[in-house]
Amino acid sequence: VGTPVREREGDFEQTIAVLKSFLAGWRPALKPLVELFRDCAYLSLIARGPSLASALEGALVLKESARRPAEAISGGQFRHGALELVSERYGYILFSGEEQTRPLIRSLGRDIVRYGGRVAFIGGEGSDAPESIPTVAFQVSNPYLMPVLEIVPVQLLAWSLANLEGRTISGFEKISKVIRNE
């Protein structure tokens, strides 16, 4: 049905190499995002395809760790309603995702900026992003491995925002590690 894992070994090795490279210099790469989003009242994480997993997990991490109101939404769904809510008080993290849908995400990001929203891109090649929009760029050949990379900058952003407020993210205040009620 699918490709055996051993035939995708190169994809995994490429993803690991890109992640190692990012982690070696993550602070300067993330600084523009921290500055952009540090005083946002709300964050929206927008993606398409496999990168929607990054948006969903990223919104959860930002709520739990950074204690920031955040939601995940698909790019198409955002255009059909949430675009009306764009505000200079709100931040928008767009996951560039796979090559075939990247132009749609990039276009949406430019529109959000035009309407006054604060935008950053995660993923994709930096050269294909508008110059004025902060971008944490990386690319892998397998789009299904892109979420492995995309979530790391969001995790570090959550840690950085919590750190700015003098908080650690070592545990929860209101929930346990395992939710037992549902």
Side-chain angles (χ1 to χ4, degrees):
V1 176
T3 305
V5 172
R6 68 182 168 280
E7 289 182 28
R8 292 290 185 195
E9 195 171 303
D11 292 346
F12 291 109
E13 288 176 3
Q14 177 192 36
T15 302
I16 291 166
V18 171
L19 181 58
K20 282 181 179 180
S21 175
F22 171 74
L23 289 173
W26 71 269
R27 287 180 194 273
L30 227 55
K31 186 176 181 179
L33 278 69
V34 173
E35 292 301 315
L36 186 66
F37 299 135
R38 74 182 302 162
D39 63 346
C40 283
Y42 167 82
L43 293 167
S44 185
L45 289 78
I46 306 165
R48 292 176 177 269
S51 293
L52 191 54
S54 304
L56 290 164
E57 178 65 17
L60 180 65
V61 166
L62 286 162
K63 286 183 260 195
E64 287 180 344
S65 300
R67 297 202 178 102
R68 300 293 172 117
E71 78 165 336
I73 189 168
S74 74
Q77 192 177 15
F78 189 88
R79 280 221 182 262
H80 292 281
L83 191 60
E84 290 295 325
L85 298 173
V86 170
S87 163
E88 68 278 350
R89 297 177 301 131
Y90 299 162
Y92 302 89
I93 299 172
L94 285 84
F95 296 93
S96 299
E98 56 189 325
E99 199 171 329
Q100 72 186 54
T101 59
R102 192 169 304 142
L104 294 169
I105 288 291
R106 298 293 200 203
S107 175
L108 178 57
R110 285 190 296 274
D111 289 346
I112 292 170
V113 168
R114 193 178 65 218
Y115 297 132
R118 302 178 197 187
V119 171
F121 288 117
I122 294 179
E125 297 176 29
S127 61
D128 67 347
E131 254 183 56
S132 61
I133 300 177
T135 302
V136 176
F138 40 70
Q139 182 65 14
V140 292
S141 57
N142 185 332
Y144 293 99
L145 292 176
M146 185 64 83
V148 172
L149 299 171
E150 292 169 331
I151 195 59
V152 175
V154 180
Q155 292 168 333
L156 292 169
L157 175 64
W159 178 84
S160 298
L161 293 172
N163 193 41
L164 283 173
E165 295 172 358
R167 288 185 293 99
T168 63
I169 55 172
S170 60
F172 302 112
E173 289 180 9
K174 299 178 180 84
I175 61 176
S176 64
K177 188 172 182 169
V178 178
I179 307 300
R180 299 185 190 282
N181 296 350
E182 294 184 31

